[in-house]
Amino acid sequence: MFENIRNHFPFFEKKPELTFLDTAASALKPKLVIERVNHCYSYEYANVHRGVYKLSNDLTEKFENVRIKTSKYINAKSEDNIVFTKSATEAINLVASCFSEKYLGSGDEVLLSYLEHHSNIVPWQIAAKKRGFKIITIDVNKEGAIDYDDFANKLNIKTKFISITHMSNVTGTIVDMQIIKKHAKKFNIPFLIDGCQYIAHAPVDVKDLDCDFYVYSGHKMYGPSGVGILYMKNKWFDRFDPYQGGGSMIDKVDFINTTYAKGNQKFEAGTPPIAQVIGLGASYDFISQFNLQKIFYHEKELYEYAFDKLKSFNDVNVIGDSKNKGAILSFTIDNMHSNDIGIILDQHNVAVRTGHHCAQPLLKKLNLNATARASFGIYNNKNDVDHFIEAIKETKNFFKK
Ligand SMILES: Cc1ncc(COP(=O)(O)O)c(C=O)c1O
């Protein structure tokens, strides 16, 4: 099913020698997306939601069609539940800010897990400083999996919000959302799922998840950078005050009193990421040609192939060996700094991410400062893994010299 997949990606025409293993940071772009963005800027471009002229109206319709595609992709009730932001980071900031202003104060608690990316930690800390609530952390075990008993034990009447990743960007751990949902519902606690690492690799159904918020970024699902997606349950649209003020989000403005637009427009102040949203639409078209479950197994097979080979080196340590995980492989090599590993791998045409992966609390918890991380996408294959393993051998030899 994925034999000819690279034909979709112009990148490989120019750089066939490169093994790209950094999809978790940002995915390469298929022709469909690149050409769609190019076409939009070349022939369709005008501002949206503003013009009375045909060019603007036509692009507004196409822009709104992507909202419909988004709602279908994640099985939301309606496109009205979708807010476009500039990134997943902005989407989480929006929720942390709007929710905390209305509902959080001293004595309240927000639960986050140790698996979180800084994007799902720092916005809550900023809000906590202003509002005086406490952040409580859900533990992870040494395999990098959530400690669900710890989660259950930390829930209490002070818990007012849960914000948790669907899949860790460091260990690939997939969080069992049915457990999170069960407990959240029992205490009637709203919860947000950070789907950045999950969205392009397995099906997402927000009706089944029954989460209040689901966020992800376009660039991690083969779409353009500069667009984030925030799914919100209906009730929050009226309950939240606007996150930002400006054009588009208003009903009537005067210096005495301004009234706001309703629904998602209230949260989309200013000119939106127009061409990025149009490109995002093409990324749904691209992924939807394939079966998401098959994408997951394809990538997972590569992960397991790489995992077994890496395990055969006694000085290589794979980080986070939890049962339920996606195709993200973090590792260290004894007596080598991860940045050195990344640099030598690059000299052998293998691109991996190195460092703390914007997850310093998790690394600290696992007694690490940094790791190297190989992450897989739809375009990877077994040759990539073989190349990666050969490059690891070269890296080890380099440091032995
Ligand atoms: C799990 C997770 N959450 C949030 C983010 C932030 O995404 P963005 O930088 O696109 O806003 C990332 C990015 O790496 C991520 O991996």
Side-chain angles (χ1 to χ4, degrees):
M1 180 166 206
F2 300 104
E3 292 85 50
N4 299 319
I5 190 77
R6 290 193 181 204
N7 297 342
H8 291 270
F9 291 84
F11 179 87
F12 295 110
E13 287 164 25
K14 281 275 189 279
K15 293 199 183 298
E17 73 289 355
L18 188 80
T19 287
F20 183 78
L21 296 177
D22 198 19
T23 297
S26 204
L28 300 176
K29 311 304 170 203
K31 248 182 239 154
L32 203 65
V33 169
I34 298 164
E35 284 170 4
R36 189 67 197 89
V37 173
N38 194 357
H39 187 83
C40 172
Y41 276 132
S42 303
Y43 308 113
E44 298 172 318
Y45 195 76
N47 212 328
V48 292
H49 299 138
R50 284 156 172 77
V52 289
Y53 53 95
K54 188 169 179 334
L55 190 68
S56 170
N57 281 337
D58 284 353
L59 195 58
T60 301
E61 195 181 326
K62 286 169 186 157
F63 182 94
E64 289 305 320
N65 276 339
V66 179
R67 212 186 288 276
I68 297 172
K69 266 188 195 169
T70 301
S71 67
K72 293 199 168 133
Y73 189 78
I74 59 173
N75 198 28
K77 222 187 230 164
S78 152
E79 62 274 20
D80 297 340
N81 296 103
I82 307 300
V83 177
F84 290 125
T85 61
K86 77 172 164 61
S87 60
T89 300
E90 188 179 51
I92 300 173
N93 273 277
L94 186 159
V95 176
S97 168
C98 293
F99 187 84
S100 62
E101 265 170 33
K102 273 278 173 83
Y103 299 104
L104 298 178
S106 91
D108 293 331
E109 295 178 356
V110 169
L111 267 186
L112 308 178
S113 87
Y114 261 98
L115 292 179
E116 302 317 310
H117 187 279
H118 296 164
S119 295
N120 196 23
I121 299 175
V122 184
W124 294 104
Q125 280 174 331
I126 292 170
K129 275 205 180 121
K130 288 185 190 155
R131 306 289 310 156
F133 63 90
K134 255 181 148 175
I135 291 172
I136 307 291
T137 43
I138 309 165
D139 224 341
V140 292
N141 61 25
K142 62 179 188 319
E143 280 83 42
I146 291 276
D147 180 339
Y148 294 101
D149 291 335
D150 188 58
F151 167 61
N153 288 338
K154 281 176 174 160
L155 284 168
N156 63 72
I157 51 162
K158 291 185 274 180
T159 315
K160 296 290 158 46
F161 200 91
I162 302 163
S163 199
I164 191 159
T165 192
H166 208 163
M167 176 166 144
S168 158
N169 67 313
V170 178
T171 58
T173 309
I174 295 173
V175 175
D176 187 337
M177 286 301 163
Q178 296 306 323
I179 300 181
I180 304 297
K181 175 171 94 174
K182 188 179 93 190
H183 288 282
K185 297 291 151 199
K186 194 161 108 198
F187 286 86
N188 202 16
I189 302 165
F191 67 110
L192 177 149
I193 302 174
D194 172 359
C196 280
Q197 293 298 338
Y198 194 84
I199 191 72
H201 308 284
V204 168
D205 180 337
V206 291
K207 268 194 209 133
D208 177 57
L209 291 166
D210 204 10
C211 52
D212 292 78
F213 308 93
Y214 196 96
V215 306
Y216 56 98
S217 279
H219 70 94
K220 296 204 199 265
M221 53 170 298
Y222 310 102
S225 57
V227 55
I229 296 86
L230 167 61
Y231 159 84
M232 290 210 270
K233 269 191 179 165
N234 286 343
K235 62 184 177 194
W236 302 108
F237 285 89
D238 284 339
R239 290 185 190 181
F240 282 177
D241 287 334
Y243 174 56
Q244 292 177 331
S248 273
M249 50 71 74
I250 53 84
D251 170 34
K252 285 198 179 72
V253 179
D254 75 17
F255 281 110
I256 311 295
N257 188 28
T258 288
T259 52
Y260 306 125
K262 294 253 176 273
N264 40 29
Q265 287 307 297
K266 180 169 146 191
F267 300 97
E268 292 183 2
T271 297
I274 301 169
Q276 290 86 338
V277 167
I278 296 296
L280 175 71
S283 76
Y284 293 126
D285 295 342
F286 171 72
I287 297 184
S288 303
Q289 298 173 69
F290 309 97
N291 174 312
L292 269 161
Q293 208 66 65
K294 286 196 176 143
I295 294 178
F296 184 84
Y297 290 124
H298 164 70
E299 294 167 352
K300 195 62 197 293
E301 201 183 346
L302 296 176
Y303 167 88
E304 271 155 15
Y305 183 55
F307 178 88
D308 288 343
K309 293 202 172 228
L310 272 191
K311 278 290 227 191
S312 67
F313 301 122
N314 54 15
D315 51 353
V316 176
N317 318 293
V318 175
I319 311 301
D321 187 13
S322 66
K323 274 203 189 77
N324 193 11
K325 59 182 286 178
I328 292 181
L329 212 175
S330 271
F331 63 97
T332 59
I333 304 180
D334 292 348
N335 306 318
M336 281 183 212
H337 192 280
S338 73
N339 282 351
D340 294 333
I341 299 171
I343 289 165
I344 307 298
L345 287 179
D346 186 45
Q347 286 169 5
H348 290 88
N349 286 315
V350 176
V352 297
R353 168 98 190 256
T354 56
H356 56 61
H357 313 296
C358 300
Q360 288 179 7
L362 175 61
L363 266 76
K364 200 166 161 197
K365 184 87 189 163
L366 299 172
N367 285 322
L368 297 162
N369 291 320
T371 74
R373 179 189 72 185
S375 57
F376 297 90
I378 194 168
Y379 31 64
N380 290 121
N381 55 37
K382 283 200 168 169
N383 291 339
D384 287 333
V385 178
D386 292 336
H387 183 191
F388 166 59
I389 297 296
E390 283 311 307
I392 291 280
K393 285 183 192 157
E394 297 289 344
T395 307
K396 281 150 44 75
N397 286 340
F398 179 91
F399 283 100
K400 264 194 208 131
K401 278 175 202 161

